[in-house]
Amino acid sequence: MNNQRSFFSNVDWITVLIYLSLCIIGWFNIHAAVFDEDHASIVDLSTEYGKQFMFIIISLMVATVILLLESRFLSALAPAFYGVTILLLIVVLVVGRNVGGNQAWISLGGGFRLQPSEFAKFATCLLLARYLSSTNVKITDLKSFLVAGAIILLPMMLIKLQPDDGSTLVFCSLIFVLYREGLSPYFLIIIGLLITLFISALVFNITYIILAMVAVTAILLLLTRRKRGFALKLVIAFAVSVGFVFAVKPLYTHALKPHQRVRIDEMLGLRSDPRGAGYNVNQSKIAIGSGQMWGKGYLQGTQTKYSFVPAQSTDFIFCTIGEEWGFAGSVVVLGLFLFLLLRIIRIAERQRAPFSRIYAYGVASILFFHVAINIAMTIGLMPVIGIPLPFISYGGSSLISFTTLLFILLKLDSNRMGVIYA
């Protein structure tokens, strides 16, 4: 009896409550997004909203099983989880079902499909946490950095072959885990500068970019003229940056597919095609804007009701929230996600075991990337890359994998006082 009481008291129920709130919000908005008057019941299993209800029940069962496991098994089985997901990512390339141009699903029969790339997220976080928490592993050492990078890159490369660009990019968020564990901030600065130069080279004339870089470099050289070593590094960085700027256009043309370039051009305002490539985002923005402050009301959204926005129950579910619940409802959803992320970071920092802390930051990084990119995508601030909104978008693989991702953390946290090393 005491063990049972201790178990329930140690679980972070605030996080569980946020999770349940997001799941319920998602369920009702899926009902609104694909509502069918002939199947009005929200638990009708022949509809997406009925299936989502079943996915929520399955997810809660998975969550319960995870909470009943021994924490030490999660670290011990990390290589096995990772190995199985890698195997599934290989299998899907051979026998997978192609949906929307991506061969990312394994058919399970009865209209149900499994998407291995979703489960690769928590498996990668587990193995990365196990490796980085190992004795004598320091991310500042080249060998440790390369091994950690390989753990992240392997599922990325297999998912890219599907090709699922959105899920591939999600793994890039794990750079924040490496940063928290001691990776130099210069890596993040360099990545930020490269992204800035890439976008600038597409939007502005190269001559102006080079002139701006010369001016900035000259000012920095004047400010650091007594530091010869730094000045040399600055000159080398300038030369590399100039080369990168000139390489952007050829890379952009040959490395990206036409539809990917079109989406980026639309986002940057380099072209306007509201009836073609920009249709999804344009209709999404109309739906969100039409909701105004308080929204049109549940099942009252005209953009939603008449299916103007494609993939509205999955990638574009947030525009249903914006139209039917307005700015106020959107703020509530964003507030729940913000509260959840802050809660996860708080959980991460109170861990005694490095394994648990590292895993927690992996969870935070992946959730943040999904939420930020998905919502930015629906309002036109990011190109459409097709990733779900956690706990809200329709999909069994997505919901179950995010549930697993989160509840593994809650299980580790519930045993934090009893585990120092893991």
Side-chain angles (χ1 to χ4, degrees):
M1 190 71 175
N2 290 334
N3 289 337
Q4 188 178 19
R5 188 181 297 111
S6 176
F7 166 77
F8 283 108
S9 63
N10 288 337
V11 173
D12 192 293
W13 292 106
I14 294 177
T15 302
V16 175
L17 182 60
I18 299 170
Y19 160 80
L20 291 173
S21 300
L22 289 170
C23 288
I24 292 170
I25 289 171
W27 181 32
F28 275 89
N29 279 282
I30 292 167
H31 182 241
V34 293
F35 178 71
D36 183 352
E37 291 183 355
D38 294 330
H39 301 273
S41 172
I42 197 170
V43 293
D44 188 333
L45 295 180
S46 66
T47 64
E48 287 189 359
Y49 35 90
K51 290 178 181 177
Q52 188 71 5
F53 171 71
M54 183 177 63
F55 295 147
I56 291 173
I57 299 301
I58 294 172
S59 295
L60 291 174
M61 293 170 62
V62 170
T64 303
V65 170
I66 291 171
L67 292 177
L68 292 173
L69 289 174
E70 287 288 340
S71 297
R72 64 177 182 272
F73 290 153
L74 297 171
S75 175
L77 294 175
F81 287 135
Y82 186 82
V84 169
T85 55
I86 293 299
L87 180 61
L88 288 174
L89 288 174
I90 295 172
V91 169
V92 79
L93 294 175
V94 180
V95 300
R97 180 178 175 183
N98 193 302
V99 179
N102 295 335
Q103 190 168 321
W105 286 267
I106 297 174
S107 181
L108 300 177
F112 294 98
R113 304 189 300 263
L114 176 72
Q115 189 176 4
S117 59
E118 291 294 332
F119 297 94
K121 296 168 188 175
F122 77 81
T124 302
C125 286
L126 279 173
L127 187 61
L128 185 65
R130 173 173 168 143
Y131 175 71
L132 292 178
S133 61
S134 301
T135 306
N136 299 325
V137 171
K138 294 183 179 179
I139 198 62
T140 52
D141 295 337
L142 180 60
K143 179 183 175 182
S144 299
F145 176 75
L146 291 176
V147 173
I151 292 171
I152 298 170
L153 284 174
L154 180 56
M156 284 181 69
M157 287 168 24
L158 292 172
I159 294 169
K160 176 62 179 174
L161 292 174
Q162 295 177 1
D164 185 350
D165 297 320
S167 295
T168 301
L169 290 173
V170 169
F171 289 84
C172 295
S173 66
L174 295 177
I175 188 70
F176 293 109
V177 179
L178 304 184
Y179 170 71
R180 171 60 181 82
E181 293 307 305
L183 186 67
S184 172
Y186 286 115
F187 278 91
L188 297 181
I189 294 171
I190 290 170
I191 292 171
L193 288 174
L194 290 176
I195 293 173
T196 302
L197 286 175
F198 181 85
I199 295 173
S200 299
L202 295 177
V203 176
F204 303 109
N205 187 293
I206 289 181
T207 303
Y208 298 141
I209 298 172
I210 300 299
L211 288 174
M213 290 168 59
V214 169
V216 171
T217 303
I219 292 171
L220 291 175
L221 284 172
L222 288 172
L223 294 174
T224 60
R225 59 183 181 273
R226 295 182 180 179
K227 300 178 181 179
R228 294 181 181 178
F230 180 80
L232 179 61
K233 293 178 182 177
L234 192 60
V235 171
I236 294 173
F238 170 78
V240 172
S241 299
V242 170
F244 178 77
V245 168
F246 279 104
V248 165
K249 286 291 178 69
L251 286 171
Y252 185 66
T253 304
H254 296 98
L256 297 180
K257 296 178 180 179
H259 73 276
Q260 294 171 330
R261 295 198 300 271
V262 167
R263 289 172 178 175
I264 294 174
D265 288 345
E266 282 281 340
M267 180 197 70
L268 297 177
L270 300 176
R271 61 179 293 167
S272 179
D273 187 13
R275 295 182 180 274
Y279 178 81
N280 289 23
V281 174
N282 188 52
Q283 294 299 321
S284 175
K285 290 193 288 186
I286 291 172
I288 293 172
S290 67
Q292 299 185 39
M293 178 57 74
W294 303 109
K296 296 176 180 177
Y298 186 55
L299 299 178
Q300 301 303 311
T302 52
Q303 289 288 111
T304 296
K305 184 181 295 184
Y306 297 110
S307 304
F308 281 105
V309 185
Q312 194 162 350
S313 64
T314 53
D315 299 341
F316 285 87
I317 190 68
F318 187 73
C319 70
T320 303
I321 297 170
E323 183 178 26
E324 299 202 346
W325 305 103
F327 178 77
S330 300
V331 168
V332 169
V333 171
L334 287 172
L336 285 172
F337 276 120
L338 178 60
F339 192 17
L340 176 62
L341 288 168
L342 292 175
R343 192 77 187 173
I344 291 172
I345 292 173
R346 180 182 177 184
I347 289 172
E349 290 301 331
R350 71 188 183 194
Q351 300 307 305
R352 303 173 72 192
F355 173 82
S356 302
R357 182 189 68 245
I358 296 166
Y359 179 80
Y361 271 98
V363 175
S365 298
I366 287 175
L367 287 178
F368 172 76
F369 186 93
H370 266 273
V371 173
I373 299 301
N374 179 276
I375 294 177
M377 181 181 74
T378 62
I379 59 178
L381 295 180
M382 288 292 293
V384 178
I385 59 173
I387 61 173
L389 189 59
F391 313 117
I392 291 183
S393 290
Y394 169 75
S397 293
S398 171
L399 181 59
I400 295 169
S401 66
F402 279 122
T403 299
T404 304
L405 185 77
L406 181 63
F407 276 82
I408 286 176
L409 171 61
L410 293 179
K411 177 57 187 178
L412 293 171
D413 178 62
S414 69
N415 198 38
R416 66 185 181 275
M417 299 308 294
V419 178
I420 299 177
Y421 300 103

